[in-house]
Amino acid sequence: MQWFNVGKIVNTHGIRGEVRVLSRTDFPEERFAVGTKLGLFTPDAKKPIMVKIASHRQHKNFELLTFEGYPNINDVEPFKESYLRIAEHDLTELEENAFYHHEILGCAVYSTEGQELGKITEILETGANDVWEVTPEKGKKHYIPYTEEIVKEVDIDEKKVIIEVIEGLLS
C-alpha cells in the first residue's frame, strides 16, 4: 500500500495529549477531521501506528491534534518527529486541472515545440499559484509557474507536461 504525507508532528502541545503538526496538505480540514484515520510513521518504524483523530484545531501556523486512546503528554511524547500519512485508497478525487503532488513530481516537461526541458523535481507553494522546479539533465534548474498561460497540457498517465515557453521563462 502507498502512503502520502499530510503532516509532520513537530512537538507536543500542553499536557492533554495534543500534538503540534506542520501541515503538508492543501486540505487540512478534510485530512485532520475528527474521526479520520491516519498512519503515524515514527522515524525508525517500518509499519505505521494507525491513529484516529479525536480533536483538531488550528493555532498559529500549526494544526493541533489529539488521537483517540492517547489522552496525555506521556502517550504522545514518542510521536515527535513522526509523519502522518494517508493511505492511497483514502485520497479523494480532485477537481479538473488540480493534481496531487505525487502525480506531478517526476513528470517530464516539454516545450510546445517538443524540446525536453527536464523533470519536475519540486513543487513550491507560493500562495498565488504553485511553481514547479524543473531539473534538466545538464544545466541549471528552471522554475515554471503553474498557470493556464504557461502550462498547456498535463498528462498524468504518460507523466508528461507541455508548456508554452515565453520570453525570460528559462533564463
Side-chain angles (χ1 to χ4, degrees):
M1 182 178 347
Q2 268 199 298
W3 294 86
F4 299 99
N5 278 344
V6 293
K8 181 178 182 181
I9 298 174
V10 293
N11 211 340
T12 57
H13 186 86
I15 60 169
R16 299 181 194 265
E18 218 167 18
V19 292
R20 190 176 296 181
V21 175
L22 195 55
S23 178
R24 292 279 178 250
T25 177
D26 287 337
F27 315 105
E29 304 80 21
E30 184 181 321
R31 299 290 181 240
F32 304 129
V34 173
T36 300
K37 291 182 181 171
L38 296 173
L40 188 147
F41 289 78
T42 57
D44 53 352
K46 301 284 185 250
K47 288 185 172 183
I49 300 166
M50 294 306 295
V51 293
K52 189 173 184 180
I53 295 177
S55 72
H56 170 227
R57 65 188 177 106
Q58 289 186 302
H59 177 69
K60 297 185 180 173
N61 293 334
F62 299 98
E63 310 295 327
L64 299 181
L65 307 175
T66 59
F67 306 119
E68 288 184 9
Y70 299 90
N72 71 56
I73 189 172
N74 296 329
D75 298 325
V76 297
E77 186 79 30
F79 296 162
K80 283 184 187 178
E81 300 301 312
S82 296
Y83 287 93
L84 293 171
R85 296 181 175 149
I86 187 168
E88 184 174 28
H89 59 76
D90 291 331
L91 294 176
T92 53
E93 284 290 316
L94 296 177
E95 59 195 50
E96 191 176 344
N97 295 327
F99 306 96
Y100 286 110
H101 286 195
H102 71 272
E103 294 175 313
I104 297 298
L105 290 170
C107 284
V109 178
Y110 295 87
S111 69
T112 50
E113 291 80 35
Q115 177 189 2
E116 185 171 357
L117 303 171
K119 291 195 183 317
I120 299 172
T121 52
E122 184 78 41
I123 298 174
L124 309 169
E125 296 177 24
T126 63
N129 53 268
D130 287 352
V131 175
W132 296 345
E133 180 185 86
V134 177
T135 305
E137 284 193 32
K138 291 181 181 160
K140 64 180 187 169
K141 297 176 181 178
H142 308 296
Y143 295 92
I144 309 298
Y146 179 52
T147 62
E148 285 183 19
E149 179 188 8
I150 305 291
V151 179
K152 297 302 179 189
E153 186 183 324
V154 178
D155 186 337
I156 294 303
D157 297 327
E158 295 290 322
K159 296 293 273 179
K160 183 177 179 179
V161 173
I162 297 174
I163 66 166
E164 180 74 44
V165 179
I166 61 172
E167 192 174 330
L169 184 66
L170 302 179
S171 58

